[in-house]
Amino acid sequence: MRAFVMAARTGSMTSAAKALNYSVSAVSVQIARLEKQLGVPLLERRGKSVVLTDAGHAVHSEACAAIEAHTRILAAVKVPVSSEAANGPQASHGVA
């Protein structure tokens, strides 16, 4: 979701990749997976830029809210966001 939100914010896969410290390919794959999961295109590719589709607009605000909630949860348990991003989500305490 972070890749999608950043691509929407910056208008570019390349800029999103730089902001997230990912490869452009990784950003593209993550967004493609999200689009496949939802069954709709979220971004319209226009050369080197991207713009939100109608579905992308609908998903964008919810994705931002989900990311903000995730960040608050990590802060509540004092897990640095960079640590979680680097190591992936950790299933612990019997909660997946």
Side-chain angles (χ1 to χ4, degrees), residues 6-8 15 18-20 26 30 36 45 49 55 58-59 68 70 74 90 95:
M6 190 57 69
S15 296
K18 287 180 184 175
L20 295 168
Q30 288 181 19
K36 184 176 181 179
R45 281 78 170 167
S49 66
V59 170
E68 289 171 10
H70 182 249
L74 293 177
Q90 302 294 316
V95 178

Side-chain angles (χ1 to χ4, degrees), residues 70-96:
H70 182 249
T71 301
R72 285 192 307 273
I73 291 166
L74 293 177
V77 295
K78 298 185 178 25
V79 176
V81 173
S82 59
S83 171
E84 189 275 336
N87 298 319
Q90 302 294 316
S92 61
H93 308 291
V95 178

